[in-house]
Amino acid sequence: SQQGEEDPQALSIQEGENATMNCSYKTSINNLQWYRQNSGRGLVHLILIRSNEREKHSGRLRVTLDTSKKSSSLLITASRAADTASYFCATDTDNYGQNFVFGPGTRLSVLP
Amino acid sequence: EAGVTQFPSHSVIEKGQTVTLRCDPISGHDNLYWYRRVMGKEIKFLLHFVKESKQDESGMPNNRFLAERTGGTYSTLKVQPAELEDSGVYFCASSPTGSRRNTIYFGEGSWLTVV
């Protein structure tokens, strides 16, 4: 069964608006990470949040983690056209294994 | 420092043909992973090498897929014979040994189209 599931599957917003994407997972995790994939390009790591953390910031990104609800959110503030991409959450369940389980992703379109 | 490199970046082959994808991890990284995303679906784990040994190959879909890692350096993923459903992007990633919760580094992917 799928570990991470993002919603919405697709999101269109205007430049300057904020974008929020959510990720839910099923089993206990050690860490949750968010990645971005631009069309035709590879995966870029955005941010890692550990299971004992509740919120983390990196530039225009804010990630929250609620382990009681097994969910995470990624907020991109003041979005730009260059933020257009697919965003994936990835979870792992043990300290040294790095076999992440990815969700299906959210396709974000930021319109100029 | 060079990142994870994959070759070819794009490949179009006919059903029944063979394709070999290559991944060069970041120098010094003992851990090497293959993932794939087919038909716009989720990214799925295929297998994990530690040096030249297969640590976990539970994600390999069937025996048409063969992964090797010669001498614990670069890795190849061969699909033989290729089927239409194998179309997608194949990602390679690497990470150093003993890295507790280090981020793994992904390559740009090899985009495979089977026609």
Side-chain angles (χ1 to χ4, degrees):
Chain A
S1 63
Q2 186 169 286
Q3 172 73 328
E5 297 187 22
E6 292 92 344
D7 79 87
Q9 292 188 350
L11 178 64
S12 289
I13 59 174
Q14 295 294 132
E15 216 167 12
E17 294 182 337
N18 295 341
T20 300
M21 290 162 273
N22 302 299
C23 167
S24 61
Y25 56 91
K26 294 181 173 62
T27 63
S28 297
I29 64 169
N30 275 336
N31 305 277
L32 185 144
Q33 306 192 46
W34 284 90
Y35 287 82
R36 181 186 72 221
Q37 183 189 7
N38 290 76
S39 180
R41 303 299 301 275
L43 287 168
V44 174
H45 178 259
L46 296 176
I47 197 164
L48 178 153
I49 186 165
R50 303 185 193 283
S51 59
N52 61 353
E53 296 176 316
R54 293 295 167 257
E55 188 171 311
K56 208 159 182 182
H57 297 254
S58 176
R60 294 185 295 112
L61 306 180
R62 182 172 78 95
V63 168
T64 62
L65 179 64
D66 186 335
T67 52
S68 67
K69 295 181 179 178
K70 292 185 170 59
S71 67
S72 172
S73 68
L74 170 67
L75 168 67
I76 303 175
T77 59
S79 64
R80 306 166 182 168
D83 294 328
T84 295
S86 291
Y87 291 80
F88 298 90
C89 69
T91 56
D92 69 86
T93 57
D94 61 75
N95 290 333
Y96 293 97
Q98 292 164 309
N99 305 341
F100 301 139
V101 179
F102 287 85
T106 293
R107 176 67 189 170
L108 173 66
S109 298
V110 181
L111 307 174
Chain B
E1 179 182 326
V4 177
T5 56
Q6 295 186 243
F7 181 84
S9 57
H10 291 80
S11 181
V12 180
I13 63 171
E14 292 184 351
K15 176 182 173 180
Q17 288 186 322
T18 298
V19 63
T20 300
L21 311 177
R22 172 171 170 146
C23 169
D24 285 79
I26 293 173
S27 178
H29 282 192
D30 287 340
N31 294 291
L32 187 148
Y33 310 83
W34 284 98
Y35 288 81
R36 73 170 181 174
R37 186 184 184 202
V38 296
M39 297 181 185
K41 296 185 177 179
E42 63 268 27
I43 300 167
K44 286 198 170 180
F45 165 81
L46 294 179
L47 87 159
H48 170 205
F49 283 100
V50 177
K51 296 185 180 178
E52 68 275 10
S53 300
K54 292 177 184 175
Q55 181 77 10
D56 182 352
E57 52 183 331
S58 61
M60 294 289 267
N62 52 60
N63 59 10
R64 295 186 295 104
F65 290 75
L66 175 64
E68 295 179 319
R69 190 176 182 194
T70 307
T73 55
Y74 70 91
S75 174
T76 57
L77 179 65
K78 180 189 289 187
V79 185
Q80 179 183 31
E83 298 289 344
L84 298 178
E85 62 264 26
D86 300 331
S87 296
V89 57
Y90 290 77
F91 291 107
C92 178
S94 73
S95 70
T97 303
S99 53
R100 182 186 173 97
R101 302 321 329 133
N102 271 8
T103 304
I104 63 175
Y105 300 87
F106 283 87
E108 292 283 301
S110 286
W111 299 77
L112 173 64
T113 302
V114 183
V115 297

